[in-house]
Amino acid sequence: MKAALVILSAISMANAFPGMSDLRHVRRAQDEENTKKLPGDLEGQDESTMSETGKLIKNILQGNETPQDLTTAYSSVPDQNSAECKADKCCIWKHIADEMKSKMTGDAGRCNNLARQCIRMGFHDAATWSLDTGKDGGADGSLVLARECFDRQVNNGVTDGCNQMQAWFDTYKSFGVSMADLIQMGGGQKMMGVVANTSTGPPANVATVVCPLGPRVRSFVGRKDNSNPSPDGLLPSAFDSADQLISLFANKTISASQLVALVGAHTTSQQFFVDANRAGDPQDSTPGVWDTNFYGETTDASSPKQVFKFQSDINLSQDSRATGAWTAFTGTHGQRPWNGAYAAAYVRMSMLGVYNTNDLTECTKALPLPITSFSSPDAAALADFANGGAPDAAKNASNGDVIVV
């Protein structure tokens, strides 16, 4: 990792020192090679030795299987203490997902701050792995188990989510539930890399699908926990350049286009720590809704004035390696392709640092069904908030509740 950082630092000085621009081309070539690899133990595995679930995950990551399941669901679920539930590995996850859903939405129907924190937690636990860390880091639960939530500044804004995750773990660990799986099932989606110091955030996959218009990402359980701290310094900053972001994620096998899909999770976000003077400001005009407004409003100089734009998002949107995907996800016509791209990228994210993929079980059927259409009951007040006309609305927006002007 140190070697990669040295090269990246050298690249940033390329304009100041003639001839050093060649390093940029070397790094970009290496980035491209890295994104062709598979994370965790999937790289180099002989398919003849893989389980059916392992093959499925590999096929999703290689684009040969759909990354979403919009329909498979329980029609009824046995009591969590019953023999029937114990015989079905996914049954307990249905009970967990239902409890999570009840805590992740407000009375306006939008996902709330807990959902956003859980999305972010999914990213921040998994993204501590890279091709240079070996079996250290990744989706292993250390975000909570090693108290990284509380001890690392980059995790500002997720302490409530971490406390809730610990409470869920204390309740369900006797059922064989791991913290690593709780974080990924609960936050299945908001790392987006550049979520540092924001309150956006199943757990990741539950949190994503309870946000109106959000994808229903295929979800797997069976990860192993690790209470040792993960490698530090592998999460993005809200001020990173496009080169820094793309190289950082390429070293996690995530391409520039996949990164663009992941950062779209900022669409539900409100920031609280990047600029404390603007705490509570949304990152697009419809916080709590998984729509595509983030993409258009990040690049629009005339976007609503209360919309808070990370410099890193602006930088990424302007890079030639990212503009194609950014444009494709912009506007209402971008919703379907973005959801699919996000789901594919997040399945990959959720496998970072996972070295027992053949032991995993798919439990997507435990997730809530997606909300495929949505109109905010307080649309006028929400628009007023985005334009700076409702200064006291940030709390209601954060809670997913109806805004009263």
Side-chain angles (χ1 to χ4, degrees):
M1 184 62 194
K2 290 183 178 179
L5 290 175
V6 169
I7 293 175
L8 197 56
S9 297
I11 289 172
S12 69
M13 298 187 293
N15 292 331
F17 296 92
M20 289 187 69
S21 61
D22 289 344
L23 286 174
R24 184 187 301 272
H25 299 296
V26 171
R27 184 61 191 179
R28 289 190 176 187
Q30 183 61 60
D31 289 345
E32 186 173 351
E33 285 302 308
N34 286 344
T35 61
K36 296 176 183 177
K37 298 177 181 179
L38 294 170
D41 65 351
L42 290 170
E43 181 67 19
Q45 266 202 69
D46 186 336
E47 286 201 13
S48 66
T49 67
M50 297 177 72
S51 68
E52 290 305 309
T53 301
K55 293 176 185 177
L56 171 61
I57 294 169
K58 181 178 180 180
N59 282 328
I60 292 173
L61 300 193
Q62 293 180 328
N64 299 320
E65 285 280 355
T66 177
Q68 294 191 82
D69 182 343
L70 304 180
T71 59
T72 305
Y74 283 96
S75 57
S76 62
V77 61
D79 180 85
Q80 66 185 44
N81 293 307
S82 67
E84 292 86 351
C85 196
K86 292 178 182 178
D88 176 0
K89 288 184 179 180
C90 299
C91 176
I92 191 62
W93 287 104
K94 171 61 174 170
H95 289 281
I96 294 170
D98 286 350
E99 181 176 345
M100 288 177 170
K101 178 183 177 182
S102 71
K103 293 181 179 293
M104 290 183 178
T105 54
D107 60 27
R110 295 186 289 267
C111 55
N112 62 20
N113 193 43
L114 176 61
R116 293 190 288 266
Q117 287 191 35
C118 286
I119 292 172
R120 186 179 171 208
M121 288 172 65
F123 283 108
H124 280 216
D125 195 43
T128 56
W129 179 89
S130 79
L131 291 170
D132 298 326
T133 62
K135 293 187 177 182
D136 293 332
D140 61 5
S142 61
L143 179 69
V144 178
L145 296 175
R147 294 188 58 81
E148 295 163 13
C149 279
F150 309 98
D151 297 339
R152 295 182 180 179
Q153 186 176 4
V154 71
N155 295 318
N156 279 349
V158 298
T159 54
D160 289 344
C162 290
N163 286 331
Q164 178 61 75
M165 205 66 68
Q166 182 66 58
W168 279 325
F169 183 61
D170 292 343
T171 298
Y172 292 107
K173 62 183 177 182
S174 63
F175 293 88
V177 168
S178 72
M179 178 66 79
D181 286 339
L182 270 174
I183 292 173
Q184 293 307 316
M185 283 291 286
Q189 324 314 283
K190 214 174 185 174
M191 151 187 175
M192 233 352 252
V194 196
V195 293
N197 295 325
T198 176
S199 126
T200 126
N205 289 340
V206 174
T208 301
V209 76
V210 301
C211 292
L213 309 184
R216 194 169 187 250
V217 181
R218 295 184 78 164
S219 303
F220 302 86
V221 299
R223 296 172 186 81
K224 296 180 179 180
D225 280 343
N226 187 351
S227 58
N228 296 315
S230 61
D232 202 356
L234 293 176
L235 297 179
S237 161
F239 304 97
D240 281 346
S241 69
D243 269 341
Q244 288 172 316
L245 290 171
I246 291 171
S247 288
L248 179 67
F249 281 90
N251 206 33
K252 305 178 194 297
T253 78
I254 293 170
S255 70
S257 294
Q258 291 166 337
L259 176 59
V260 171
L262 289 172
V263 296
H266 288 164
T267 188
T268 69
S269 170
Q270 291 170 259
Q271 78 82 31
F272 290 89
F273 294 96
V274 173
D275 184 345
N277 292 323
R278 295 185 58 184
D281 280 1
Q283 289 189 258
D284 78 4
S285 57
T286 50
V289 181
W290 196 276
D291 57 26
T292 59
N293 289 354
F294 163 79
Y295 290 106
E297 291 173 3
T298 296
T299 57
D300 184 358
S302 301
S303 60
K305 67 178 184 179
Q306 211 70 17
V307 170
F308 189 95
K309 305 176 185 182
F310 284 178
Q311 186 59 49
S312 53
D313 288 337
I314 295 171
N315 295 341
L316 185 63
S317 73
Q318 296 172 346
D319 190 275
S320 61
R321 293 162 290 180
T323 52
W326 202 283
T327 300
F329 302 151
T330 299
T332 55
H333 63 277
Q335 187 75 51
R336 185 173 180 179
W338 173 43
N339 277 7
Y342 180 90
Y346 198 83
V347 173
R348 179 177 289 268
M349 174 70 66
S350 71
M351 294 298 149
L352 299 187
V354 177
Y355 284 86
N356 66 325
T357 50
N358 290 315
D359 300 329
L360 303 187
T361 300
E362 182 176 9
C363 285
T364 311
K365 65 181 180 180
L367 298 182
L369 290 171
I371 303 167
T372 56
S373 63
F374 181 74
S375 296
S376 289
D378 54 351
L382 190 63
D384 195 28
F385 168 54
N387 282 285
D392 299 324
K395 182 177 180 180
N396 277 27
S398 181
N399 292 336
D401 292 339
V402 170
I403 294 173
V404 179
V405 179

